[in-house]
Amino acid sequence: TCGPQDGFGLRTLFRLSSATVFAGAALLFFIEPVIAKTLLPRVGGSAAVWTTCLLFFQATLLAAYAYAHLLPRWLGERRHAVLHLVLLALPLLVLPPTIVQGAPDTNPVGWVLTALLGSVGLPFFVLATTAPLLQRWTPAEALPRDRYILYAASNAGSFLSLLVYPFVVEPLVSLSAQRNAFAVAYVAFAALAAVSSWARVKRPEVLETDPSPSVTTRQLLRWVTLALVPSSLMLGATSVITTDIASVPLVWMIPLGLYLLTFVVAFAGATPRAGLAIPFVGLAALLFLLSLMPVVQHLVVGALHLSLVFLGGLIFHGELARGKPKGDPTLFYLALALGGALGGLLNAVVAPLVFRRVLEYPLTMVLALVVLGNPPLLRSPQERQQAFLRSAGLEVASPPERAQRLAWLDWAVPCGVGALALALMGVHPVVQLSVPFVVAVFFSLGRRGRLGWALGAIALATSLTSRAVVETRSFFSVLRVTDAEGYRVLSHGSTIHGRQHLDPARRQDPTDYFVGPAADIVGARPAGSPVAVFGLGVGTLASYGKEAEHWTFYEVDPNVVRLARTYFSFLADTPAQVDVVVGDARLAVGSAPDGYFGLIVADAFSSDAIPTHLLTRQAIVLYLQKLAPQGLLAFNITNRYVRLGGLLGQQAREAGLLARIRSVPAAARVVATTWVVMARAFPVDLGPNWSDLAAEGKAWTDDYSNLASVVKL
């Protein structure tokens, strides 16, 4: 039934628009992990790299949507289409994307944003304009249902790209080849988009004969808020998960992929019913408690966080889909982009400056509950009865005096549960949080939004009753020093980075990962030789230092250095001469003399994961250059989620080194730990508990790594 229109049939026009939107979105989300992975070695492998990258992508998306909304109104659509033809060609000047030279300072947010702007800013901007422009340019009669079907196609392309990257592209293709492939694919996309733009140029201007109703400020704010909440939830969950596992594309992609999948479901017409708010409220409340409790997090908890991202996205994006305008969609998309960018700004910039902990995540859960208000199943029987009567066209007003009598509870309940949480200070964290939570739920029945404010009061009270000696936050980590069971402990997320006896007579005793295998390695090095340690922690390894020895610790996070010197005494008590160099270990050790160290220890962790750039073939070559002929190269590979032994065995084989491994199971006052040691030749016997390390898999390089190959199943 579609006839020709200026050389294009309507059906052909729709297919062309769909293909262009799909391809643009796929390329958009292909380059995100590529460029973020390229940045990681420059900033120490911090999990905050991805959050900062997402802030840049969301801000650029906002700029692109503003361009798509404003330029057609200022220039007219045909002249704007001509301008867009020129804009499509500009990214060819900066492809393939490369990172400018230079090193970040101690707060690399600005450096990361600048590097992203110079490398992918222009192509990302052009790709981001595709979806809103083509949905504006495609005639309504060319669409099978409504113009928002193209938005679903855009998110489907994004989701497919995220699904393919960690399981197909990353394991098989090097980073440099990925960047080159992006450049080639962009040329093909630009040609496709140029055809779409030219099709718009050839069509005559169309005056809007049935303009959509003007958007009120309240409606605009609602769109922004509904977009902000799931964006912030996704970023919060990503921060928690990457902190505990690894800051790599395999882990980045899962929350973002689920977030995009909810867009696909919502804007394809399969929007959830309001009843889905009920499991969301329960799940949000559960994760609100978990995110505040200083307990060890496991993969099951990670799955719950991902469930929150998915359910929250379904509900909030479903609300957006139900409230989308029937006319020009570009203002709607602009509001969505603004909400997403504000979520990124909150999580990546504002929260690290304001909060000492990752409080933005539970507080966003509170905001979600407040925005959702009072779901049907949390209403009182009287309210449910009134809702039923209203749906039948009847109205039964509740007594105003009763409403006034209950209104004070909207303030009393949050204040009461907050005070209860404060009163329970000193008891077990589960009790301190669960009792006020049960009280909050009970007194929130029948009142809109009260549960959200009550949970917010619990969050505030918990932050005021923290048992931490000190908490600090930076781009690199959220660190917490606590005293428990006779030890002072430094932790990041759910990972302990070191502990020291509070008993002065034992405070120089090594603990945790630094007994057993670590003692064997330090004892086997050439006597009195200098030692380099990547990663300071609390300085536990310094307890092995002896008079006249020189130990150098390399630490990327200045906060770790400050805490180790202020709240722990390993560095002050050791008889060895100790230097602490602030900066990425691999970059900083390059300035050391060749053949200087008798032992190099890689104990750098981004929470529970060793930064990948410290494990690559090029890194091993650098370490050997700085190592004495009889020196040892050691790796602490203790990890809950990945197994690195086989990989390091392969790295040792390719470097012509011998490699041995030793694991110690968990026991009373001893944590489970695994160490690998390499050498050109072992000068002394490490001991009977060490075994030869077998090589497995494909070696990693600066241009290739594959986390999926080492994940523990």
Side-chain angles (χ1 to χ4, degrees):
T1 59
C2 294
Q5 180 173 332
D6 297 313
F8 286 89
L10 292 178
R11 185 170 298 169
T12 301
L13 192 60
F14 169 70
R15 289 172 178 170
L16 177 64
S17 298
S18 299
T20 307
V21 167
F22 184 90
L27 275 179
L28 197 70
F29 281 82
F30 172 82
I31 196 58
E32 288 188 11
V34 172
I35 203 67
K37 188 175 179 181
T38 304
L39 281 171
L40 275 178
R42 305 288 189 91
V43 282
S46 169
V49 173
W50 180 240
T51 306
T52 307
C53 287
L54 283 181
L55 169 62
F56 172 82
F57 298 142
Q58 290 169 323
T60 308
L61 189 73
L62 175 62
Y65 282 14
Y67 162 88
H69 177 67
L70 297 175
L71 264 291
R73 288 167 169 76
W74 293 347
L75 299 178
E77 295 204 9
R78 293 181 67 184
R79 281 183 292 178
H80 177 236
V82 173
L83 173 65
H84 197 68
L85 284 169
V86 177
L87 186 63
L88 285 168
L90 291 181
L92 300 177
L93 302 175
V94 296
L95 293 178
T98 55
I99 300 298
V100 296
Q101 296 297 318
D105 55 21
T106 55
N107 186 15
V109 172
W111 183 89
V112 170
L113 295 176
T114 302
L116 289 169
L117 182 63
S119 58
V120 295
L122 186 55
F124 194 93
F125 175 84
V126 175
L127 288 167
T129 64
T130 306
L133 278 181
L134 289 186
Q135 287 169 89
R136 179 185 180 91
W137 289 347
T138 305
E141 58 269 21
L143 299 171
R145 282 180 287 177
D146 60 61
R147 66 178 68 241
Y148 291 93
I149 193 66
L150 292 179
Y151 193 61
S154 171
N155 285 289
S158 305
F159 177 74
L160 180 62
S161 184
L162 292 179
L163 186 66
V164 168
Y165 184 84
F167 299 107
V168 178
V169 177
E170 186 183 30
L172 301 176
V173 184
S174 68
L175 265 178
S176 57
Q178 291 172 30
R179 292 192 292 267
N180 291 333
F182 173 78
V184 173
Y186 180 84
V187 173
F189 160 80
L192 190 62
V195 175
S196 298
S197 298
W198 186 248
R200 178 63 194 90
V201 171
K202 298 298 291 181
R203 284 172 43 223
E205 294 282 6
V206 178
L207 297 176
E208 187 70 57
T209 58
D210 183 21
S212 57
S214 59
V215 177
T216 64
T217 302
R218 181 175 181 179
Q219 181 64 59
L220 193 62
L221 289 175
R222 174 175 171 79
W223 289 342
V224 171
T225 304
L226 290 174
L228 182 153
V229 172
S231 171
S232 185
L233 286 176
M234 180 269 294
L235 290 166
T238 303
S239 179
V240 170
I241 295 170
T242 54
T243 294
D244 282 342
I245 300 178
S247 182
V248 290
L250 178 64
V251 182
W252 298 337
M253 298 299 96
I254 299 174
L256 184 57
L258 291 174
Y259 172 80
L260 290 173
L261 182 59
T262 62
F263 268 116
V264 177
V265 173
F267 284 87
T271 53
R273 295 182 178 275
L276 275 179
I278 305 310
F280 174 71
V281 168
L283 187 58
L286 172 64
L287 295 183
F288 171 80
L289 298 178
L290 290 173
S291 65
L292 291 177
M293 289 166 50
V295 299
V296 175
Q297 307 232 354
H298 298 286
L299 289 178
V300 172
V301 177
L304 291 175
H305 286 291
L306 294 176
S307 300
L308 172 63
V309 172
F310 185 70
L311 284 175
L314 277 181
I315 293 163
F316 282 89
H317 294 154
E319 289 295 318
L320 282 168
R322 281 191 290 273
K324 61 184 182 291
K326 295 182 179 180
D328 177 18
T330 54
L331 180 60
F332 177 65
Y333 294 141
L334 184 61
L336 267 60
L338 178 59
L342 289 175
L345 185 68
L346 169 67
N347 286 64
V349 177
V350 176
L353 294 175
V354 175
F355 302 132
R356 293 175 301 173
R357 283 188 274 168
V358 189
L359 281 178
E360 66 272 17
Y361 187 33
L363 290 179
T364 304
M365 298 180 196
V366 171
L367 177 62
L369 296 175
V370 171
V371 171
L372 283 176
N374 185 28
L377 292 184
L378 284 182
R379 294 174 183 167
S380 65
Q382 294 84 355
E383 286 185 323
R384 288 199 297 270
Q385 182 184 42
Q386 288 185 352
F388 173 77
L389 293 173
R390 282 195 295 270
S391 66
L394 302 174
E395 183 68 34
V396 179
S398 58
E401 63 276 8
R402 180 178 181 273
Q404 292 176 358
R405 288 199 306 269
L406 294 177
W408 65 272
L409 286 174
D410 291 340
W411 298 103
V413 170
C415 294
V417 297
L420 183 58
L422 285 172
L424 293 173
M425 177 180 177
V427 302
H428 193 278
V430 174
V431 177
Q432 184 190 11
L433 290 170
S434 60
V435 172
F437 170 68
V438 171
V439 173
V441 171
F442 178 80
F443 283 100
S444 295
L445 297 175
R447 297 300 294 179
R448 184 177 181 84
R450 188 186 293 166
L451 180 60
W453 294 114
L455 292 182
I458 297 175
L460 177 61
T462 304
S463 66
L464 295 175
T465 61
S466 171
R467 297 176 180 81
V469 175
V470 65
E471 290 176 298
T472 183
R473 182 173 184 175
S474 69
F475 176 86
F476 301 98
S477 59
V478 179
L479 299 169
R480 177 184 174 95
V481 177
T482 54
D483 290 343
E485 300 179 347
Y487 292 89
R488 175 156 289 177
V489 182
L490 175 67
S491 59
H492 174 203
S494 62
T495 302
I496 293 175
H497 284 296
R499 75 176 85 207
Q500 185 175 32
H501 289 281
L502 290 174
D503 182 356
R506 302 188 61 192
R507 66 182 187 179
Q508 273 300 97
D509 293 350
T511 56
D512 291 340
Y513 319 104
F514 308 106
V515 297
D520 293 344
I521 294 169
V522 174
R525 68 190 165 102
S529 59
V531 177
V533 181
F534 299 168
L536 176 61
V538 300
T540 311
L541 278 173
S543 61
Y544 290 105
K546 297 179 181 178
E547 195 75 36
E549 290 183 349
H550 183 209
W551 288 59
T552 305
F553 288 85
Y554 296 90
E555 174 56 52
V556 72
D557 189 349
N559 278 346
V560 173
V561 179
R562 181 175 61 84
L563 295 178
R565 290 192 181 279
T566 306
Y567 297 95
F568 300 87
S569 65
F570 285 116
L571 296 179
D573 293 343
T574 180
Q577 176 190 346
V578 173
D579 291 328
V580 178
V581 178
V582 177
D584 178 73
R586 179 172 161 182
L587 296 176
V589 79
S591 61
D594 291 348
Y596 178 69
F597 295 109
L599 171 64
I600 295 178
V601 179
D603 183 47
F605 281 76
S606 176
S607 195
D608 200 41
I610 303 176
T612 56
H613 71 288
L614 298 182
L615 303 174
T616 64
R617 179 187 301 155
Q618 290 81 358
I620 301 293
V621 170
L622 174 64
Y623 305 156
L624 291 177
Q625 182 182 343
K626 304 302 174 182
L627 203 62
Q630 300 301 315
L632 301 178
L633 176 58
F635 295 86
N636 179 4
I637 62 170
T638 307
N639 198 281
R640 290 168 292 180
Y641 303 113
V642 297
R643 40 180 177 76
L644 296 172
L647 168 66
L648 287 177
Q650 184 63 35
Q651 302 289 51
R653 171 188 289 178
E654 296 197 1
L657 301 174
L658 302 175
R660 294 178 184 171
I661 187 170
R662 181 185 174 190
S663 296
V664 175
R669 299 290 183 182
V670 177
V671 298
T673 185
T674 301
W675 285 75
V676 167
V677 61
M678 302 178 187
R680 298 179 178 93
F682 288 106
V684 296
D685 188 6
L686 287 168
N689 297 314
W690 291 83
S691 58
D692 292 337
L693 179 60
E696 296 178 10
K698 182 179 178 181
W700 290 3
T701 68
D702 287 349
D703 208 36
Y704 171 83
S705 61
N706 178 17
L707 183 72
S709 65
V710 296
V711 170
K712 291 180 181 179
L713 300 177

